[in-house]
Amino acid sequence: MRTTVALLFGGRSGEHGISCVTAGGILAAIDRGHFDVIAIGITRDGTWVHVSDDPSDWTMVDGRAPEVAPEGAEVLLPSTRRQPGGRSELRTVVEGVVSPLAEIDVVFPVLHGTYGEDGTVQGLLELLDIPYVGSGVLASATCMDKAATKQSLRAAGIECAPGVTVHEDRWAAGADEVMDHLERHHPLPWFVKPARGGSSLGVSRVSDPAQLEAAMKAAFAEDPKVLIEESVIGREVECGVLQGGDGYEVRTTVPGEVKVGEDLDFYDYEAKYFGKGTVSIDVPASLPDAQLEEVREVAARAFSVLGLEGLARVDVFVTDDQRVVVNEVNTMPGFTPYSMFPVLWQNMGLSYADLITDLVEQARGRRPGPR
């Protein structure tokens, strides 16, 4: 029997459009001889709709990302848990008429950011015993929250950038107190970022304390919880990680490096997706073999410490004094054919299509419920 995959994308976060572009890449590459695909888009207001599975409908046009429109047939999830070894029936409803859509084997949620990458959708699928690609509820929620990620990593002896976490309420009640603490304990420049955001949305580099208020406002627009970190001087290096098979250790890629030109303060949202500034990506990174291996070791340790499943991209800084400092861990990294994660695996000999197959088969083989 052919495997039916429900590809879930879009969503309520600020990364809606990037999720749609990711879906377009997967729809173009997935092995249609092996998999049947049901494309399900989540609109910005949270409605699940049956949408086109034509990759050309989910590409950038004139620098604009696609968006899930609400006109499609609304998708209804199963009303009961999947039976052991069985499939899950999806239905649609149009003008009050409910019709069968498909019986699915696995969900591939290529959702980035809140309400998708943060354990919420994972929890929904867990309740219904539907297998899905990627990490579980706790691991997804932990990695979505950069402050929680770093607490877990530091407890395991993995170095992260120093900084503080500030809630919007605390900032409103005592911004001067926060500023005083930063100036006494954390040297400039600072990076201000939403604790539970991605794609560098709402992130600012602060080189003068006078810039902090505007930076906090931009971050709070994405998340009421904000991380203020010291800048780490080092090379930006990223490593792809895949879950190992039964009894096998996790798999890591040779790391790649993001090089940002002098016309950019940092690798921000516009630089990542819309061609802003001078950016080059080297795969593999031009580091000594010993440092490349250390990055891979740190990435594998982070994957295990955080209890991740399926896939992750671990982003680190390699400092001049050869320290490896973790910046963040992405449980559903950018997944277009040109994104760092697939490119890293292609460099290891695993094609984009085979990478998708690997992840779907992992998910199908994972037992439902606690593990």
Side-chain angles (χ1 to χ4, degrees):
M1 183 180 296
R2 290 164 59 87
T3 299
T4 300
V5 179
L7 186 66
L8 186 62
F9 59 94
R12 294 170 55 191
S13 82
E15 298 176 84
H16 178 106
I18 301 308
S19 173
C20 293
V21 174
T22 291
I26 291 175
L27 288 168
I30 193 168
D31 182 358
R32 302 278 184 142
H34 189 61
F35 301 115
D36 292 323
V37 183
I38 304 298
I40 301 174
I42 302 179
T43 67
R44 290 188 181 274
D45 68 2
T47 302
W48 295 35
V49 293
H50 183 212
V51 296
S52 166
D53 65 357
D54 184 342
S56 65
D57 291 330
W58 306 105
T59 59
M60 291 276 193
V61 177
D62 297 328
R64 296 193 309 274
E67 185 166 325
V68 177
E71 286 79 18
E74 184 174 355
V75 173
L76 299 180
L77 290 170
S79 57
T80 58
R81 293 170 56 192
R82 180 180 70 104
Q83 295 300 312
R87 309 174 97 190
S88 299
E89 183 184 12
L90 301 181
R91 297 163 297 154
T92 58
V93 57
V94 178
E95 297 180 350
V97 177
V98 177
S99 305
L101 174 59
E103 291 187 341
I104 62 167
D105 298 289
V106 63
V107 172
F108 196 153
V110 290
L111 297 159
H112 303 307
T114 49
Y115 307 111
E117 193 180 350
D118 58 353
T120 50
V121 165
Q122 290 76 12
L124 174 63
L125 297 172
E126 293 274 0
L127 285 171
L128 296 170
D129 280 339
I130 300 175
Y132 58 91
V133 171
S135 290
V137 177
L138 178 60
S140 296
T142 300
C143 289
M144 188 76 248
D145 187 321
K146 297 178 180 65
T149 301
K150 292 179 180 185
Q151 286 177 338
S152 297
L153 294 178
R154 288 190 185 108
I158 298 174
E159 185 176 0
C160 306
V164 297
T165 305
V166 181
H167 194 276
E168 190 170 16
D169 294 340
R170 181 187 173 196
W171 178 256
D176 290 342
E177 182 183 343
V178 174
M179 177 73 81
D180 181 63
H181 174 87
L182 289 168
E183 291 183 314
R184 284 189 293 112
H185 298 287
H186 299 283
L188 287 163
W190 306 318
F191 275 93
V192 178
K193 55 184 74 173
R196 296 163 292 195
S199 294
S200 298
L201 286 169
V203 177
S204 303
R205 183 180 185 274
V206 172
S207 56
D208 184 324
Q211 301 170 330
L212 183 60
E213 184 173 354
M216 296 296 281
K217 182 177 180 180
F220 285 139
E222 302 293 331
D223 187 356
K225 184 178 180 181
V226 165
L227 201 59
I228 308 172
E229 293 183 326
E230 294 178 18
S231 176
V232 176
I233 307 302
R235 297 168 68 171
E236 295 186 51
V237 177
E238 302 181 354
C239 185
V241 187
L242 285 175
Q243 183 177 341
D246 290 343
Y248 291 93
E249 295 182 357
V250 298
R251 297 165 283 168
T252 60
T253 65
V254 174
E257 180 177 6
V258 179
K259 293 182 177 178
V260 177
E262 294 184 0
D263 53 348
L264 292 170
D265 285 336
F266 64 100
Y267 192 34
D268 62 13
Y269 179 75
E270 288 77 14
K272 287 180 178 178
Y273 301 112
F274 298 100
K276 172 187 170 185
T278 305
V279 177
S280 63
I281 296 177
D282 293 346
V283 179
S286 56
L287 290 169
D289 288 347
Q291 283 192 314
L292 291 174
E293 288 305 311
E294 185 177 0
V295 171
R296 296 178 77 170
E297 180 184 351
V298 168
R301 285 180 58 207
F303 192 93
S304 298
V305 164
L306 294 164
L308 303 185
E309 297 173 278
L311 72 163
R313 196 191 70 230
V314 180
D315 301 346
V316 306
F317 296 107
V318 178
T319 66
D320 291 341
D321 58 357
Q322 301 184 357
R323 292 179 297 123
V324 176
V325 181
V326 174
N327 182 30
E328 62 181 77
V329 178
N330 293 274
T331 57
M332 187 52 68
F335 213 94
T336 71
Y338 311 107
S339 297
M340 179 67 97
F341 185 80
V343 169
L344 288 170
W345 280 108
Q346 189 158 7
N347 181 66
M348 302 295 293
L350 186 63
S351 72
Y352 188 45
D354 287 342
L355 176 60
I356 294 167
T357 298
D358 188 307
L359 290 168
V360 172
E361 295 300 340
Q362 278 187 43
R364 286 206 68 192
R366 200 175 298 142
R367 72 182 188 212
R371 48 188 179 270

